[in-house]
């Protein structure tokens, strides 16, 4: 077994604890989530539709957009977390395939 695969197996063998996300990855994911939420916020703003669905109560729109913005940040952040997990699993599978494809050096030696 190669050292890389052994290291991955050692990291993933204990399913009772989760590896913490490195701080830089968490900050980047949160920043991307905020930027994506800002874009979504402006796409949902009523001036795109000539204020055709603007409610009479402006305070309700403020609450609506504030709640939607916070939920959008959460959804984007969760999406980036699941995407990171997907790529980690792909890396583990690729490492296992590479290990299986390597010829076993101990078979030919006596």
């Amino acid at each position: 077994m190669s050292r890389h695969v052994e290291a991955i197996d050692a990291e993933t063998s204990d399913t009772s604890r989760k590896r913490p996300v490195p701080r830089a990855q968490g900050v980047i994911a949160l920043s991307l989530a905020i930027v994506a939420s800002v874009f979504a916020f402006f796409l949902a703003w009523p001036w795109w539709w000539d204020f055709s669905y603007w409610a009479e109560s402006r305070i309700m729109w403020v609450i609506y957009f504030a709640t939607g913005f916070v939920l959008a940040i959460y959804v984007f952040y969760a999406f980036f977390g699941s995407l990171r997990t997907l790529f980690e699993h792909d890396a583990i599978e690729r490492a296992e395939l590479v290990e299986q494809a390597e010829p076993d050096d101990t078979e030919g030696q006596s």
Side-chain angles (χ1 to χ4, degrees):
M1 196 180 258
S2 69
R3 288 184 211 157
H4 180 68
V5 174
E6 288 174 357
I8 290 173
D9 287 342
E11 290 176 4
T12 58
S13 63
D14 185 14
T15 58
S16 64
R17 70 177 178 91
K18 290 178 70 176
R19 284 188 308 152
V21 176
R23 184 167 176 82
Q25 284 183 358
V27 169
I28 290 170
L30 184 61
S31 300
L32 287 173
I34 290 171
V35 168
S37 297
V38 167
F39 283 122
F41 179 83
F42 284 113
L43 285 174
W45 196 253
W47 75 65
W48 291 101
W49 296 279
D50 296 325
F51 296 98
S52 60
Y53 68 95
W54 192 266
E56 291 182 24
S57 172
R58 296 288 173 132
I59 190 71
M60 288 308 295
W61 270 114
V62 170
I63 292 170
Y64 169 77
F65 277 107
T67 304
F69 185 74
V70 171
L71 288 174
I73 290 174
Y74 172 74
V75 167
F76 279 117
Y77 188 76
F79 171 73
F80 291 135
S82 62
L83 192 63
R84 181 176 39 249
T85 302
L86 179 70
F87 282 122
E88 287 175 355
H89 287 191
D90 184 53
I92 291 170
E93 288 180 13
R94 286 178 186 263
E96 289 173 354
L97 289 174
V98 167
E99 177 201 331
Q100 292 172 358
E102 291 176 353
D104 194 8
D105 294 335
T106 59
E107 288 179 4
Q109 298 173 356
S110 305

